[in-house]
Amino acid sequence: MRTYRYFLLLFWVGQPYPTLSTPLSKRTSGFPAKKRALELSGNSKNELSRSKRSWMWNQFFLLEEYTGSDYQYVGKLHSDQDRGDGSLKYILSGDGAGDLFIINENTGDIQATKRLDREEKPVYILRAQAINRRTGRPVEPESEFIIKIHDINDNEPIFTKEVYTATVPEMSDVGTFVVQVTATDADDPTYGNSAKVVYSILQGQPYFSVESETGIIKTALLNMDRENREQYQVVIQAKDMGGQMGGLSGTTTVNITLTDVNDNPPRFPQSTYQFKTPESSPPGTPIGRIKASDADVGENAEIEYSITDGEGLDMFDVITDQETQEGIITVKKLLDFEKKKVYTLKVEASNPHVEPRFLYLGPFKDSATVRIVVEDVDEPPVFSKLAYILQIREDAQINTTIGSVTAQDPDAARNPVKYSVDRHTDMDRIFNIDSGNGSIFTSKLLDRETLLWHNITVIATEINNPKQSSRVPLYIKVLDVNDNAPEFAEFYETFVCEKAKADQLIQTLRAVDKDDPYSGHQFSFSLAPEAASGSNFTIQDNKDNTAGILTRKNGYNRHEMSTYLLPVVISDNDYPVQSSTGTVTVRVCACDHHGNMQSCHAEALIHPTGLSTGALVAILLCIVILLVTVVLFAALRRQRKKEPLIISKEDIRDNIVSYNDEGGGEEDTQAFDIGTLRNPEAIEDNKLRRDIVPEALFLPRRTPTARDNTDVRDFINQRLKENDTDPTAPPYDSLATYAYEGTGSVADSLSSLESVTTDGDQDYDYLSDWGPRFKKLADMYGGVDSDKDS
């Protein structure tokens, strides 16, 4: 739509009163007329003249988004100094001057060259001025005016989010808040209804509704069930112009999810379950799994299982698998097929988290019947007791029966059972058992004082199936019999002072007994009958299992009698009465006036400053060892061998002598002469031994020259005999080496040592006749001759 504005600016000169001309416009709304007067002074500065109105206009208004092909006319500027002769020039400056807004410098017409957008800039402030073309001086002061852009509905509402996500509990009441959406309009909210937004729902009915002014989305349908439908997509429209025709609109999508509430009870898919388990299953063994379904999710779908009724209420248990929400039936107590073969249980599944507002839907639990069948297995024998305790007197004879154990096969077959003793628990084979009836009897004599309790294990085994066996502990207590006589608790050796008075206590006696009578020990003490009449001491029984030795006279003489031996009879009060005689040694000693012992005969029995017997024995032993060591050392020095002259490397007994000489091969005839071994006369007459100091000069014995045909055995025997009879031979073991090969070989000797004794060169051509094994050797010796010939 094209709108034209006509502004008529009239300037009256010479009127006594100012006038204002209002512009003509087709718009009824706008800014009120505004007066502006610029005063111009006269040509003379001192001359006062009447001021007059030079410029008069209103604010200019311009419609945005002009779509015409021509420039949009804004208004006209005119000065009363303009006489129409073109002497004045209008100049425009400020926001957009020369670009968005242009002015005809001759006529003062203002035009807009581009489409304007109020949302980008709603107000433009410009300045206008009229100047003289010839002089370039302003004929009017610069004045400021405003161009306001009028809004049109050119922006649709835009939501703050392209997609909204919201949740609401299922089964919510109508009108429950879900989410609020917001749309904004960039148009001017103060002008018309361009920015007035109204909300409406395009998709999502009849489940949800939206408030037209606030954009709040609420539930519109009662009892929406998540289990039937969980996801909803709602499309909301925002329209400006108050929702009237021609208004612009925008839409957004709201994804609404119904969250779960516990509105569904658990339900078993079947009413009866059946499982089997062997009777040998230990407690805690899982038998089977049951599962109730719950349409809810999360904690609302959690299920607890329990056994509420049935025959096996105390025999079985049920636990909940938190991951799978299954109920696991387990064995609670040991089963017995022979006692009960089938159990029936009532198992209940319930929700632990229940919402009271849904209790009207019914109880949130369900029950099912579980039938458990016990299977028979071949079981080992079962003893009548978990443990047996037997008693026997320690004086029982061998083969005395102590008691018996009983075991039987719990299976219906009732297989026969045999008994045995685990010998790992009765290594000494003190007890035995009748394999048929389980009677326990002794095989050795018993002694309570050695071992009070015997703990053995009895084994019961099925005869038809030896793999089926069981064990039971058997505790045998040996009962006491008074078969041990009491005796002194320790060895008693005491003393009496020479100046002791009569009835003076010198020692207290105590006794012990290995037996353990039921009423406790009761010992009696007395002197032996043979010593009671003429004894110098008496025994006083204290009736508390102790007794005292008292002197019977005043004064004792250690020179007359230095030691007294008192035989004391100790008896018990049990049946049969046991007694023993113990001897107390009493020494007569010299004491000080306080009664402390000083000396007994020639040695001190107990003296603080003396040495004990053990210390004296140790001292004597050290002296003996020292003497023996000295004697042995002296003997060894006397028998020590003579000092040898040759020490260090040249000692042929302990060292290997290295000369570092290298022979010259077969050509070297000076290195060694085998003839020396055959002719002992070649040995130097004045050659003596170098390993010991010579005591006397012995001439070396001359041995006869060995014949060429001498047998090696005779040669060795001859040399041994010579060494055995040689007075200069060493007195220790030595190894004599004789480098003699003997004679009689068909091929003669191959030794390089032997070759030096011959005058001429030997012929080795016969080596070629010995075969391929000696070919290499034949080539070597044959080649030597060739080299010589050449």
Side-chain angles (χ1 to χ4, degrees), residues 234-465:
V234 178
V235 179
I236 302 297
Q237 182 189 66
K239 191 174 184 180
D240 58 10
M241 298 297 292
Q244 297 178 5
M245 293 292 293
L248 303 178
S249 63
T251 60
T252 187
T253 301
V254 183
N255 293 324
I256 301 175
T257 302
L258 296 184
T259 58
D260 185 60
V261 297
N262 193 8
D263 59 339
N264 292 281
R267 290 287 181 264
F268 283 106
Q270 59 192 69
S271 60
T272 304
Y273 296 84
Q274 182 168 328
F275 302 103
K276 295 181 180 180
T277 182
E279 62 175 333
S280 59
S281 300
T285 302
I287 299 174
R289 291 172 175 258
I290 59 176
K291 185 175 182 179
S293 59
D294 194 325
D296 297 322
V297 294
E299 69 173 10
N300 297 320
E302 293 180 0
I303 301 175
E304 289 182 350
Y305 296 89
S306 60
I307 299 176
T308 59
D309 196 6
E311 302 169 341
L313 190 62
D314 58 340
M315 301 298 295
F316 301 93
D317 198 4
V318 59
I319 58 177
T320 303
D321 189 334
Q322 298 298 332
E323 294 184 0
T324 62
Q325 296 299 314
E326 292 178 316
I328 305 174
I329 308 295
T330 61
V331 177
K332 189 176 182 180
K333 292 183 179 180
L334 292 175
L335 304 175
D336 192 349
F337 173 82
E338 287 69 30
K339 291 183 179 180
K340 193 170 182 61
K341 301 177 177 60
V342 179
Y343 293 88
T344 302
L345 308 175
K346 183 179 180 181
V347 180
E348 184 179 84
S350 59
N351 289 136
H353 308 286
V354 179
E355 295 191 23
R357 65 190 181 102
F358 296 115
L359 290 178
Y360 71 92
L361 297 176
F364 280 77
K365 58 184 177 181
D366 193 15
S367 60
T369 301
V370 178
R371 188 171 181 266
I372 301 175
V373 178
V374 181
E375 297 177 336
D376 187 26
V377 295
D378 190 6
E379 299 176 273
V382 178
F383 284 93
S384 60
K385 296 180 181 180
L386 297 178
Y388 291 86
I389 300 177
L390 303 178
Q391 295 180 347
I392 184 173
R393 289 169 57 90
E394 64 175 323
D395 59 350
Q397 299 299 317
I398 297 177
N399 293 328
T400 300
T401 301
I402 306 173
S404 63
V405 297
T406 304
Q408 63 178 358
D409 183 12
D411 298 323
R414 290 292 189 266
N415 294 321
V417 176
K418 65 177 181 179
Y419 303 92
S420 61
V421 175
D422 186 356
R423 291 305 174 187
H424 292 91
T425 61
D426 185 23
M427 301 294 290
D428 296 331
R429 295 181 175 270
I430 300 176
F431 303 96
N432 213 334
I433 189 171
D434 191 309
S435 62
N437 57 23
S439 298
I440 309 295
F441 55 90
T442 60
S443 56
K444 290 184 179 180
L445 295 178
L446 304 175
D447 186 6
R448 189 202 69 86
E449 288 72 34
T450 303
L451 187 60
L452 176 61
W453 284 93
H454 295 269
N455 304 328
I456 65 175
T457 300
V458 176
I459 305 173
T461 307
E462 289 186 13
I463 296 178
N464 298 335
N465 186 7

Side-chain angles (χ1 to χ4, degrees), residues 559-611:
H559 299 289
E560 295 178 359
M561 180 67 72
S562 62
T563 303
Y564 294 91
L565 301 178
L566 299 180
V568 180
V569 178
I570 312 169
S571 303
D572 56 20
N573 195 28
D574 205 351
Y575 178 81
V577 176
Q578 300 287 344
S579 63
S580 66
T581 300
T583 301
V584 180
T585 302
V586 181
R587 296 178 181 274
V588 180
C589 302
C591 303
D592 57 14
H593 61 281
H594 296 293
N596 297 323
M597 180 185 65
Q598 290 183 333
S599 64
C600 298
H601 203 334
E603 66 180 73
L605 182 62
I606 299 175
H607 198 280
T609 59
L611 294 175

Side-chain angles (χ1 to χ4, degrees), residues 129 195 218 269 298 300 331 391 508 517 541 611 613 724 742 762 767:
Q129 192 175 34
K218 299 180 179 180
N300 297 320
V331 177
Q391 295 180 347
T508 300
D541 194 342
L611 294 175
T613 304
D724 291 339
Q762 297 186 19
L767 293 175

Side-chain angles (χ1 to χ4, degrees), residues 439-582:
S439 298
I440 309 295
F441 55 90
T442 60
S443 56
K444 290 184 179 180
L445 295 178
L446 304 175
D447 186 6
R448 189 202 69 86
E449 288 72 34
T450 303
L451 187 60
L452 176 61
W453 284 93
H454 295 269
N455 304 328
I456 65 175
T457 300
V458 176
I459 305 173
T461 307
E462 289 186 13
I463 296 178
N464 298 335
N465 186 7
K467 293 183 179 180
Q468 297 295 334
S469 63
S470 58
R471 299 166 176 262
V472 68
L474 177 62
Y475 308 105
I476 301 175
K477 183 180 181 181
V478 181
L479 300 179
D480 184 48
V481 174
N482 191 27
D483 57 348
N484 291 279
E487 56 188 14
F488 283 134
E490 56 182 293
F491 175 74
Y492 289 103
E493 184 177 5
T494 185
F495 69 93
V496 61
C497 295
E498 288 182 314
K499 297 180 181 181
K501 303 297 183 180
D503 296 330
Q504 180 178 342
L505 178 65
I506 62 173
Q507 182 66 48
T508 300
L509 305 178
R510 290 180 175 81
V512 293
D513 194 339
K514 295 181 180 179
D515 295 322
D516 186 17
Y518 179 78
S519 58
H521 293 293
Q522 295 181 5
F523 301 130
S524 60
F525 300 85
S526 63
L527 285 174
E530 63 271 15
S533 58
S535 177
N536 293 314
F537 302 93
T538 59
I539 299 296
Q540 180 181 353
D541 194 342
N542 298 327
K543 305 301 181 182
D544 58 354
N545 294 333
T546 63
I549 300 178
L550 305 178
T551 57
R552 199 169 186 178
K553 64 178 183 177
N554 294 325
Y556 293 85
N557 190 342
R558 58 176 171 162
H559 299 289
E560 295 178 359
M561 180 67 72
S562 62
T563 303
Y564 294 91
L565 301 178
L566 299 180
V568 180
V569 178
I570 312 169
S571 303
D572 56 20
N573 195 28
D574 205 351
Y575 178 81
V577 176
Q578 300 287 344
S579 63
S580 66
T581 300

